[in-house]
Amino acid sequence: MVQISNEKLTVQINPQGAELQSIVRNDNNQEYLWSGDPAFWGKKSPVLFPIVGGLKNNTYRYNGKSYTLGRHGFAREQLFSVTEQEANHVSLHLSDNDTTREVYPFRFGFTIQYLLQDDQLQVTYQVTNNDSKELLFSVGAHPAFKLPLVDGTTYEDYYLHFNKEETTGIWPLSPGGQIEAAPVPLLQQTKELPLKKSLFYQDALVFKSLASTAISIASKHTSHGLTLEFEGFPYMGIWAAKDANFVCIEPWCGIADSVNASGELTEKEGINRLAPGAVFERTWTVAFF
């Protein structure tokens, strides 16, 4: 386990999947990350690469060949190497290998940097195209924050606060995990979404057109919460496993296949295209209070 810390926060990361394992405020020993209870969901904060969500039939085509790739891609199952570490930051790196090239025929470098600044954790994804052809990929986050955060509060005491007023629907997921053809209404001229476990009984809330660039977990019953900023991530998922004590706030550069997807990687919605030798970089930040 890799640990970074500053005066305000202590964070642990597992090089397996470069996955966050713990986020604690030092002044009150408050843990913010989900426990990873396998009875509900054994992950805590998987990294989504080189796809986000599920492919139609877990399959895509590229240059006339079919490939099988599971939900959210393979990065969360790969061992990252620690390439740089100081007290308050660490960089972890994954390169293509024989295993990845069997399911994803591209040469890439994927670096994740975790950096602590005051009461904030900054997470940067850097994708480099090491190939001679265009790199096609998606990348996203899946951090699960524990709810209720503090003793004496309940799950329903918390709500999501959007930093801009929202009037938007969500895109339902099919039983196979694909995006349905039309959205359904959810938010109407509001900045708040009350949390309740039944919100997620039909899987994730998937947004394509949020005006907001930050979402907070807050409560009128405690001063503790967090704010996640995600400018530059065009898609957002909000999810929890059924009846589990957490909520995921998931900024995505990419999205699951739609029910009408052709299966061609070059036609995939939300796919990012990177020229040979080029670098793609996105950062999300979460402040804990």
Side-chain angles (χ1 to χ4, degrees):
M1 205 68 65
V2 174
Q3 180 170 297
I4 57 174
S5 61
N6 65 2
E7 289 185 359
K8 296 289 183 67
L9 299 169
T10 298
V11 172
Q12 293 184 348
I13 304 111
N14 190 343
Q16 186 70 37
E19 184 178 1
L20 288 165
Q21 297 295 300
S22 175
I23 303 169
V24 173
R25 269 194 72 109
N26 298 329
D27 58 357
N28 59 6
N29 207 35
Q30 172 68 53
E31 173 68 69
Y32 285 82
L33 211 59
W34 157 246
S35 66
D37 182 352
F40 294 93
W41 186 57
K43 296 286 189 179
K44 295 187 176 187
S45 183
V47 176
L48 317 182
F49 177 87
I51 60 168
V52 169
L55 298 168
K56 196 174 180 180
N57 301 317
N58 288 323
T59 301
Y60 70 90
R61 291 186 301 277
Y62 178 74
N63 276 355
K65 185 177 178 180
S66 290
Y67 298 87
T68 298
L69 191 55
R71 186 181 180 91
H72 295 321
F74 51 68
R76 59 184 182 163
E77 298 158 357
Q78 293 281 314
L79 181 63
F80 284 65
S81 58
V82 176
T83 55
E84 183 180 353
Q85 184 176 5
E86 295 186 11
N88 71 329
H89 75 88
V90 64
S91 293
L92 300 103
H93 182 78
L94 175 68
S95 295
D96 60 278
N97 53 54
D98 291 344
T99 301
T100 69
R101 287 190 294 271
E102 286 182 4
V103 296
Y104 183 65
F106 298 92
R107 296 186 178 275
F108 65 87
F110 180 32
T111 297
I112 304 172
Q113 183 187 68
Y114 294 99
L115 170 66
L116 296 177
Q117 294 184 312
D118 196 43
D119 61 357
Q120 295 186 345
L121 170 64
Q122 186 180 93
V123 183
T124 298
Y125 301 138
Q126 188 178 82
V127 180
T128 303
N129 185 354
N130 293 330
D131 217 317
S132 58
K133 59 180 181 288
E134 187 176 55
L135 181 67
L136 305 177
F137 71 96
S138 299
V139 65
H142 203 312
F145 302 108
K146 65 176 284 190
L147 281 186
L149 268 176
V150 297
D151 292 342
T153 61
T154 69
Y155 196 97
E156 292 74 17
D157 287 336
Y158 295 82
Y159 60 92
L160 298 182
H161 177 83
F162 298 82
N163 71 328
K164 296 183 180 179
E165 186 175 270
E166 299 289 353
T167 297
T168 188
I170 55 170
W171 293 79
L173 290 165
S174 73
Q178 276 65 68
I179 304 293
E180 296 283 12
V184 297
L186 182 70
L187 302 176
Q188 186 67 40
Q189 292 183 311
T190 184
K191 287 186 173 183
E192 291 187 6
L193 177 62
L195 287 171
K196 52 186 178 180
K197 292 180 177 179
S198 60
L199 262 180
F200 309 109
Y201 284 1
Q202 304 299 319
D203 212 325
L205 310 180
V206 177
F207 297 93
K208 292 187 183 184
S209 55
L210 286 178
S212 297
T213 57
I215 297 174
S216 300
I217 297 175
S219 173
K220 295 178 173 62
H221 299 273
T222 176
S223 59
H224 294 294
L226 60 90
T227 298
L228 192 150
E229 298 183 23
F230 54 94
E231 189 165 4
F233 291 80
Y235 304 101
M236 170 59 64
I238 309 291
W239 177 77
K242 187 174 181 180
D243 291 328
N245 286 327
F246 69 84
V247 64
C248 293
I249 302 176
E250 308 176 34
W252 298 335
C253 290
I255 195 168
D257 273 356
S258 78
V259 292
N260 298 318
S262 69
E264 293 289 341
L265 190 61
T266 56
E267 299 172 359
K268 181 172 171 54
E269 180 180 0
I271 203 75
N272 298 282
R273 297 171 176 269
L274 196 60
V279 178
F280 171 101
E281 188 171 289
R282 291 291 186 278
T283 298
W284 56 274
T285 302
V286 57
F288 302 93
F289 50 86

